[in-house]
């Protein structure tokens, strides 16, 4: 191409050589180095006056050196009277810091965009930004290319029976990317979600539990039940005991400890009740505007409780959350339920993650850490007595019982979900619940995200779809292969992962590549070369987003 110069930074010279080879020209000459005190040195060795300059620089293990080198090269080309300066960033540095994660956090990606504008950049080309909204950070045009056509073409040529494959997102934040690839290939998609084990009720604790059940069993407060939460009133967990047993424990010498024993959390023996409290018919709860869209399971449970309580020999049946969802389809409709279509969720599989790995249902649970805001072991009499003393300040306690896990107290979008997920999975004292939505049994699964940095969430998702979902093979696919720490070695050791596919937007160190035999690296030099050619000639790049075989 005439009137163009393509410069290579020190981050990925092999990619630049491949781009220049496809464009039929040689990389422009520049001397890159460091002074004795560590400062970056840049000297342009080629005339660039009135020429269109392309500077190719990506992320690297020394990311800060790569960033400052890029800024100095841009400013040096600006001082050399270049007509246009286009920064080609296959992987945009600091792209994960595109939002505020704490009250005193920095939006580093926007700061880098401002620094590039000050240095003199006039155009930016990148691939698969971590958040596409980052394009608004720049004061110049941004071309955010996608590697999806390259990944889709690899799937068609290398995945056996790819027409039956399922594209899966390993977290809720990647659903848009997954659905886009699934729509392009006309495949089904699914999602794997992990979350820390939560208390049964918001702001739960012995104080909250005691207050809820006191209101439920106190015969003098008849109307208060209409204001209770449905889950707290009817969908009790297994081994919780009946209301009559709770009434008995209220009048036992053990006090609150007796009630904890009935719930299966205290001693194994409970004193007999002093007096018999006659059962009463619960008042159905109010839901919103009083329409007929209340839960069939809830009203049937209340009706069963009312009918069975009339006989002293029978005890009211209680449903757990899982039992309620599983039996919803078998419950006869009640009057006014004609418009209600609450069917059990299909193709939903749950499991337990301990230290980032799937475990059996009978596996012992680790002690809950203080990060979850919930202590599983509440058998201590000191704790029970302390909870009784806190009853006077229940409102203030309940309002502050649930910790704010995200940054700004509004929505969880401000939190660094990826890092938080990895920390939870690696915490040996924290059990994590994993949910798989989608049917993957006897099918190959393609887990897709924009980057692979840490192995924890990838291994958890792979074990979930294989051990719980019954998938045949698992392909971990991403655009950027950061592979921090021992990520490649850990994924190599996972028997549930069959292949790892990334592109060469970042240079993978040879010593890391030798840690695995599952790694496949796809070339994006053709994509970048065509984007450079079209940018220089003022042609549309929309065709680069289309899928071709």
């Amino acid at each position: 191409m005439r009137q163009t110069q393509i410069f290579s930074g020190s981050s990925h010279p092999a990619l630049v050589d491949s781009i220049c080879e496809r464009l039929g020209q040689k990389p422009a000459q520049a001397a890159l180095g460091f002074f004795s005190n560590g400062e970056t040195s840049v000297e342009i060795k080629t005339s660039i006056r009135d020429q269109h300059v392309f500077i190719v620089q990506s992320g690297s293990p020394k990311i800060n050196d790569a960033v400052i080198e890029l800024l100095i090269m841009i400013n040096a080309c600006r001082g050399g009277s270049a007509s246009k300066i286009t920064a080609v960033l296959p992987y945009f540095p600091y792209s994960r810091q595109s939002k505020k994660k704490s009250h005193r956090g920095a939006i580093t990606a926007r700061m880098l965009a401002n620094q590039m504008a000050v240095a003199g950049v006039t155009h930016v080309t990148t691939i698969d930004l971590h958040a596409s909204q980052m394009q608004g950070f720049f004061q110049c045009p941004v071309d955010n290319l996608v590697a999806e056509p390259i990944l889709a073409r690899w799937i068609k040529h290398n995945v056996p029976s790819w027409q039956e494959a399922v594209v899966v997102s390993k977290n809720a934040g990647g659903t848009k990317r997954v659905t886009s690839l699934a729509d392009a290939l006309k495949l089904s998609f699914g999602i794997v979600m992990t979350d820390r084990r939560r208390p049964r009720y918001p702001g739960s604790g012995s104080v909250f539990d005691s207050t809820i059940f006191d209101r439920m069993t106190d015969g003098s407060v008849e109307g208060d039940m209409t204001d209770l939460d449905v889950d707290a009133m009817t969908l009790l967990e297994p081994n919780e005991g009946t209301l009559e047993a709770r009434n008995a424990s209220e009048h036992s010498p053990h006090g609150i400890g007796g009630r904890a024993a009935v719930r299966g959390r205290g001693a194994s023996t409970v004193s007999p009740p002093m007096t018999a409290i006659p059962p009463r018919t619960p008042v159905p709860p109010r839901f919103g505007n009083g329409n007929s869209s209340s839960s069939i399971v809830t009203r049937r449970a209340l009706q069963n409780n009312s009918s069975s309580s009339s006989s002293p020999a029978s005890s009211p049946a209680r449903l757990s959350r899982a039992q309620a969802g599983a039996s919803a389809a078998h419950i006869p409709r009640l009057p006014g339920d004609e418009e209600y279509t609450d069917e059990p969720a299909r193709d939903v599989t749950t499991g337990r993650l301990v230290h980032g790995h799937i475990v059996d249902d009978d596996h012992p649970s680790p002690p809950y850490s203080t990060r979850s805001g919930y202590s599983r072991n509440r058998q201590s009499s000191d704790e029970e007595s302390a909870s009784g003393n806190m009853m006077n300040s229940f409102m203030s306690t309940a309002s502050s019982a649930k910790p704010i896990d995200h940054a700004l107290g509004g929505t969880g979008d401000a939190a660094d979900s990826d890092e938080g997920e990895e920390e939870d999975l690696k915490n040996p004292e924290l059990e994590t619940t994993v949910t798989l939505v989608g049917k993957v049994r006897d099918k190959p699964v393609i887990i897709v995200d924009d980057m692979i940095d840490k192995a924890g969430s990838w291994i958890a998702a792979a074990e979930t779809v294989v051990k719980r979902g019954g998938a045949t093979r698992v392909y971990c696919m991403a655009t950027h292969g950061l592979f921090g720490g021992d990520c490649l070695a850990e994924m190599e050791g996972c028997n549930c992962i069959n292949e790892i596919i990334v592109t060469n937007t970042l240079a993978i160190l040879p010593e890391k590549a030798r840690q695995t035999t599952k790694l496949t690296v796809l070339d994006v030099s053709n994509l970048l070369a065509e984007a450079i050619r079209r940018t220089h000639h003022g042609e549309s790049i929309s065709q680069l987003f289309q899928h071709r075989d």
Side-chain angles (χ1 to χ4, degrees), residues 144-159:
N144 183 26
L145 306 177
V146 294
E148 180 182 292
I150 300 175
L151 302 178
R153 184 165 58 249
W154 186 92
I155 292 173
K156 292 180 180 179
H157 290 86
N158 296 274
V159 177

Side-chain angles (χ1 to χ4, degrees), residues 362-536:
D362 57 352
H363 188 278
S365 297
Y368 281 73
S369 66
T370 57
R371 294 181 60 232
S372 64
Y374 176 68
S375 176
R376 180 170 183 143
N377 185 4
R378 294 187 296 171
Q379 299 177 7
S380 172
S381 58
D382 294 338
E383 295 179 1
E384 297 291 351
S385 60
S387 64
N389 296 333
M390 294 169 60
M391 288 297 293
N392 294 332
S393 59
F394 165 71
M395 293 304 296
S396 60
T397 305
S399 62
S400 60
K402 185 176 180 180
I404 298 177
D405 293 333
H406 46 77
L408 305 179
T411 64
D413 181 64
D416 190 357
S417 58
D418 294 340
E419 293 296 328
E421 180 183 12
E422 292 287 345
E423 292 178 3
D424 288 346
L425 293 175
K426 292 299 182 181
N427 189 348
E429 297 183 351
L430 188 65
E431 179 178 334
T432 307
T433 302
V434 61
T435 304
L436 168 62
V437 181
K439 184 177 181 181
V440 300
R441 184 167 299 279
D442 300 329
K443 297 181 180 180
V445 169
I446 305 168
I447 304 176
V448 179
D449 205 351
D450 65 322
M451 65 180 67
I452 301 178
D453 187 8
K454 297 182 180 180
S457 58
W458 292 89
I459 294 176
E463 291 186 356
T464 301
V465 298
V466 172
K467 296 181 179 181
R468 291 292 183 180
T472 56
R473 292 179 65 85
V474 174
Y475 301 86
C476 295
M477 182 172 289
T479 303
H480 311 295
L482 277 67
F483 301 124
D486 297 329
C487 175
L488 271 177
E490 293 177 8
M491 297 181 73
E492 173 71 18
C494 179
N495 297 328
C496 297
I497 297 177
N498 299 100
E499 200 156 351
I500 306 168
I501 304 95
V502 296
T503 67
N504 61 341
T505 55
L506 292 99
I508 301 175
L509 299 178
E511 54 269 22
K512 285 191 175 183
R514 287 192 293 267
Q515 295 178 355
T516 178
T517 59
K518 302 177 180 180
L519 181 62
T520 299
V521 181
L522 306 181
D523 189 15
V524 295
S525 61
N526 189 33
L527 174 65
L528 293 174
E530 184 63 16
I532 291 175
R533 189 193 69 80
R534 289 174 178 266
T535 299
H536 174 66

Side-chain angles (χ1 to χ4, degrees), residues 25 37 62 64 77 220 281 329 354 377 405 441 449 471 474 536:
Q25 65 184 77
N37 62 350
K62 299 180 179 179
N64 294 325
C77 292
S220 61
T281 302
V354 176
N377 185 4
D405 293 333
R441 184 167 299 279
D449 205 351
V474 174
H536 174 66

Side-chain angles (χ1 to χ4, degrees), residues 292-296 299 332-341:
S292 61
S293 62
S294 59
S295 173
I296 298 176
R299 284 188 284 158
R333 289 190 176 274
L334 299 176
D337 293 334
E338 291 76 8
E339 299 180 357
Y340 188 71
T341 58

